[in-house]
Amino acid sequence: MLPQGDEEMRANCSSSSACPANSSEEELPVGLEVHGNLELVFTVVSTVMMGLLMFSLGCSVEIRKLWSHIRRPWGIAVGLLCQFGLMPFTAYLLAISFSLKPVQAIAVLIMGCCPGGTISNIFTFWVDGDMDLSISMTTCSTVAALGMMPLCIYLYTWSWSLQQNLTIPFQNIGITLVCLTVPVAFGVYVNYRWPKQSKIILKIGAVVGGLLLLVVAVAGVVLAKGSWNSDITLLTISFIFPLIGHVTGFLLALFTHQSWQRCRTISLETGAQNIQMCITMLQLSFTAEHLVKMLSFPLAYGLFQLIHGFLIVAAYQTYKRRSKNKHGKKNSDCIEVSHTRNSTSSKETNAFLEVNEEGAVTPGPPDPVDCHRALESIGHVTSCE
């Protein structure tokens, strides 16, 4: 038997949409409860595979370069400025420009305040970026998210008079940090002790990373089919938001005189957000009724950031291949021209020797003009620029 006060409290709680008990699985809408077990299995499997992937990417990290980024963290500082400066501000401008509803605006803002995702490390490897900087930025942004996420959300929502208290997923941030740093640390150690074996592990990890991204994309679409809505505005924002992150991150890195390799790295790190952290925060802060209207945005953002990443990698690989072919053709033409000049020089030298043999029959001093031409022919030097 419960006291009368507790019974009244339970009755009030069951009738209130803001009560956490209303977000239980039994009262979830059909679109959120169908794939519960499948989502759990997918989360566990993807976490294990992501840990193995980060271990393989850690095999590309050199302690010397990593320490140089820590001693002179200019690249990391630019990345953090993009992550917690440009992205939240962009999210706020998008929410205001498209006149989003408060619930939808919060979802966009939370996505902009999340740290960088590990997916950026895979794309950075494929575009020949700075892996040491990429992993350092992902780690530092995850650590900084413990303080920067609450601060950014407070600064951009204080004028919105929210009726819902937002819950920062500190536990999820800590788990993400552990899952990121521990495999990478093992990978760095393997690269330090066994550099030859680490290259093989890195190649295998690159292939596994591509397959993992495809699995994540397909599984994400399947798991989210019950929570998609027909709001074209959110889909439009989810499409242009990562693009804005990539472009502004690249421009800011270029403006701060970073190398081309670092510009590519910072661009990918800026546009790629931690989708799982955004979804966790939404689930902890809002009821099931609100989640139906909000979950479509982070899921669409994750899908579009995969598409944008693949397009960037394809564009870079195409440019790299054309540049390589053009450079190889130029070297081939250079060798051919050099060979032609050498053949011409050889013919002139042989002709001179024949003339000298004929002239050797006739006694007398040689002509100074002929000697000068002979020296020019023998001393002919070919060059190719």
Side-chain angles (χ1 to χ4, degrees):
M1 292 291 294
L2 292 173
Q4 185 177 0
D6 293 341
E7 292 179 355
E8 294 178 356
M9 183 179 299
R10 171 173 290 187
N12 294 333
C13 182
S14 61
S15 63
S16 174
S17 61
C19 180
N22 291 335
S23 61
S24 62
E25 185 176 354
E26 295 179 357
E27 300 181 7
L28 286 176
V30 178
L32 297 178
E33 67 179 356
V34 174
H35 303 286
N37 295 330
L38 181 60
E39 184 177 0
L40 178 61
V41 173
F42 170 72
T43 302
V44 174
V45 173
S46 61
T47 301
V48 174
M49 292 186 66
M50 188 61 69
L52 295 176
L53 177 62
M54 294 310 299
F55 165 73
S56 63
L57 293 178
C59 293
S60 65
V61 177
E62 298 181 9
I63 298 179
R64 178 178 56 84
K65 294 182 180 180
L66 185 62
W67 179 246
S68 66
H69 284 300
I70 297 176
R71 290 184 59 186
R72 302 184 63 183
W74 303 118
I76 298 177
V78 175
L80 291 178
L81 179 60
C82 295
Q83 196 70 61
F84 297 108
L86 291 179
M87 292 301 284
F89 182 68
T90 302
Y92 180 79
L93 291 181
L94 288 174
I96 298 300
S97 301
F98 284 88
S99 302
L100 295 179
K101 300 176 182 178
V103 174
Q104 297 173 338
I106 287 297
V108 175
L109 184 62
I110 290 176
M111 176 60 69
C113 296
C114 284
T118 54
I119 189 177
S120 59
N121 307 130
I122 306 174
F123 288 135
T124 299
F125 175 78
W126 285 342
V127 299
D128 299 328
D130 192 336
M131 288 301 301
D132 305 274
L133 176 61
S134 178
I135 294 177
S136 300
M137 283 181 58
T138 304
T139 305
C140 292
S141 65
T142 304
V143 175
L146 294 171
M148 292 303 298
M149 279 188 69
L151 177 61
C152 292
I153 292 176
Y154 172 77
L155 291 177
Y156 287 104
T157 60
W158 69 272
S159 61
W160 289 0
S161 63
L162 294 178
Q163 299 178 357
Q164 183 74 31
N165 293 326
L166 301 179
T167 303
I168 305 297
F170 293 106
Q171 183 178 2
N172 186 266
I173 295 175
I175 294 174
T176 302
L177 187 61
V178 172
C179 294
L180 173 65
T181 55
V182 173
V184 170
F186 276 107
V188 173
Y189 178 76
V190 170
N191 188 29
Y192 176 74
R193 291 294 303 271
W194 304 283
K196 293 183 179 180
Q197 289 78 358
S198 64
K199 293 181 180 179
I200 299 176
I201 296 175
L202 184 60
K203 292 180 180 179
I204 297 175
V207 177
V208 174
L211 296 177
L212 177 61
L213 291 181
L214 293 177
V215 171
V216 169
V218 174
V221 172
V222 172
L223 294 174
K225 67 178 183 180
S227 59
W228 290 99
N229 58 27
S230 58
D231 193 341
I232 191 64
T233 303
L234 279 183
L235 292 179
T236 303
I237 295 176
S238 63
F239 176 79
I240 64 176
F241 195 2
L243 279 180
I244 295 175
H246 291 314
V247 174
T248 55
F250 184 87
L251 293 177
L252 183 59
L254 190 64
F255 179 76
T256 54
H257 304 288
Q258 302 294 320
S259 63
W260 288 108
Q261 187 183 32
R262 290 189 176 186
C263 288
R264 296 195 299 269
T265 303
I266 295 174
S267 172
L268 289 171
E269 286 287 335
T270 304
Q273 299 293 87
N274 194 322
I275 308 299
Q276 184 62 37
M277 192 171 297
C278 178
I279 294 176
T280 302
M281 185 172 178
L282 293 177
Q283 291 175 340
L284 292 175
S285 303
F286 295 92
T287 62
E289 182 181 358
H290 289 155
L291 288 177
V292 176
K293 303 176 182 179
M294 303 172 72
L295 281 182
S296 60
F297 175 74
L299 294 172
Y301 187 100
L303 180 62
F304 283 125
Q305 79 173 3
L306 281 175
I307 295 175
H308 296 334
F310 279 122
L311 291 177
I312 292 174
V313 171
Y316 173 77
Q317 291 296 335
T318 303
Y319 169 78
K320 180 181 177 181
R321 187 174 302 175
R322 289 184 177 180
S323 299
K324 186 177 180 180
N325 293 337
K326 184 178 180 181
H327 184 69
K329 184 178 180 181
K330 184 177 180 180
N331 289 340
S332 178
D333 295 340
C334 180
I335 294 174
E336 184 178 353
V337 171
S338 178
H339 179 71
T340 304
R341 290 182 178 179
N342 289 335
S343 299
T344 304
S345 176
S346 177
K347 291 179 181 179
E348 291 177 355
T349 303
N350 292 334
F352 169 73
L353 292 177
E354 292 177 359
V355 171
N356 279 351
E357 288 178 357
E358 295 176 356
V361 179
T362 305
D367 192 356
V369 177
D370 294 336
C371 290
H372 180 68
R373 291 178 178 175
L375 292 175
E376 287 183 350
S377 300
I378 297 175
H380 182 72
V381 179
T382 60
S383 61
C384 181
E385 299 179 353

